[in-house]
Every structure is written in C-alpha cells, then in structure tokens.
Amino acid sequence: MSLSKKIGFLVSGRGSNMAAVLDEIAAGRLAAEARVVISDQPEAPALALAARRGLPTLALERQKFADRRAFETEIVRELRARGVELVVLAGFMRLAGPTLLAAFPDRIINIHPSLLPAFPGLRAQAQALARGVKLAGCTVHFVNEVIDGGRIIAQAAVKVRPDDTEETLSARILAREHRLLSRAIAEIV
Ligand code: GRF
C-alpha cells in the first residue's frame, strides 16, 4: 500500500496526458485513483473530458483571486478536500508558487516536452528544432520553484528527423508523453 495514489490533476488545455493516465487507471494497469481535475481555464477541453468520465471537475480562475497565494490556497483546499496525495500538472500553464509547493512537498509532478534540463519553458519542441538537436523527447519531473527545474523522474527520447516541423515533432513526442506519464506515476506510487 503506498501513500501517493490519490491523484489530483491540474490542467489548462487539451488534457491528452491526463486522458492517457485515466485510460491506464481504467484498464487496471495503474494502481492510482483520480480524485479531482482542476483547471485555471474554464473552457479547457480537459475539464469536459474529465467530466465525461465522471470525475469531479473545477475551474478556478487566477484573476478571480486577489493574488497567487489566495488562488493557490483555494487549489490546495480543494485538493485536500478530495484526499489528494499526488498532484499531477498535465499541461498546467502556470508556475507553482510557494503555497502549492509547501502544501505538497515532493508530491507535485509535471510533464514537459523536452529532455530537460534542455529547453525549459514554452514551445520546447520549437526550441529543440531551432537548436538543431538530433534527440528530442519528454521528461516527467518533480516540481519546484524553478520553471521545469525539479528533480527528474523519467525521460523518453525521440529522434529528430531532418524534415521535422514543430507539429510533426510535437506529435511524436506527445505519443511518448502519454506512456511516460503513467510510467512515472507508477514509479512514484
Ligand atoms: C504537453 O506537451 C505537456 O508536455 C506540456 O503541455 C502539453 C499538454 O498537452 N506541459 P495535453 O493537455 O496533455 O494534451
């Protein structure tokens, strides 16, 4: 029996990584339980996707709170209310602040579409192409106060093809992301 098996997702957009994890859980291949999905974007497709699968969902918009601390205090309250032990950032487009980090020390992970520590931040796949790397990939890591900066849990490499565009490379990396995130969660739980 492990400590970190009740998962809360933080999302901002599409939610394909979250869906891949939900598929693994549903198939009985990942001993974890999704408890809640929280988005900072009310229109995020990830929210509708989670709701269709019967999960509790919640939109919390940063601009409706006085400051980041108040915003994160509410996120923490909701996660705790659902008994969440592991927080998975799956396309959550915000830097975790001190309130969130302190509430879940070493219990927040993120997936990023590059072989960190190369290419943190936005449009990592375009950064990799611009630099001419021959190996790209994705990383699951613990979250700390540095953007895409925490300790690495798992990585997968993807060969860059000479004719790759940001779209084609992103699509191949994404396919690997979908497998990697569940694998990393399995390692943690
Ligand atoms: C993924 O590429 C992930 O690595 C990055 O944001 C994207 C989210 O995609 N952090 P999705 O919402 O999981 O489909």
Side-chain angles (χ1 to χ4, degrees):
M1 197 58 121
S2 86
L3 281 175
S4 303
K5 62 177 189 173
K6 290 178 185 147
I7 298 177
F9 288 96
L10 299 188
V11 298
S12 297
R14 184 175 53 186
S16 71
N17 277 292
M18 176 199 73
V21 174
L22 296 179
D23 285 346
E24 287 296 292
I25 294 173
R29 288 189 293 261
L30 179 60
E33 193 188 334
R35 302 295 294 233
V36 65
V37 178
I38 301 176
S39 175
D40 64 329
Q41 305 291 331
E43 305 303 327
L47 277 186
L49 204 156
R52 280 200 301 275
R53 293 179 183 225
L55 289 179
T57 63
L58 195 63
L60 295 175
E61 292 173 83
R62 165 66 185 86
Q63 57 272 27
K64 298 210 168 144
F65 296 84
D67 51 25
R68 180 164 77 171
R69 185 169 157 190
F71 171 63
E72 291 195 345
T73 297
E74 186 61 13
I75 292 178
V76 168
R77 210 181 59 75
E78 292 290 347
L79 292 170
R80 285 196 173 138
R82 301 280 177 180
V84 167
E85 294 160 321
L86 176 69
V87 181
V88 178
L89 309 191
F92 185 60
M93 301 304 284
R94 285 182 183 278
L95 188 59
T99 306
L100 188 55
L101 291 171
F104 293 93
D106 287 328
R107 288 288 182 275
I108 308 176
I109 66 172
N110 179 48
I111 182 150
H112 181 74
S114 81
L115 291 175
L116 290 171
F119 315 124
L122 293 176
R123 294 186 64 196
Q125 307 94 329
Q127 293 184 54
L129 279 180
R131 188 61 185 266
V133 298
K134 306 306 170 203
L135 269 184
C138 47
T139 302
V140 178
H141 63 91
F142 287 105
V143 173
N144 64 10
E145 62 288 346
V146 179
I147 191 156
D148 301 321
R151 191 157 53 83
I152 290 169
I153 301 161
Q155 291 187 304
V158 170
K159 276 189 186 162
V160 178
R161 296 176 185 155
D163 59 347
D164 261 331
T165 62
E166 185 180 359
E167 288 68 35
T168 60
L169 181 60
S170 298
R172 288 208 312 291
I173 293 174
L174 188 66
R176 299 302 301 272
E177 289 183 45
H178 292 164
R179 307 209 304 263
L180 190 72
L181 185 54
S182 292
R183 217 181 76 200
I185 292 171
E187 263 177 47
I188 293 172
V189 306

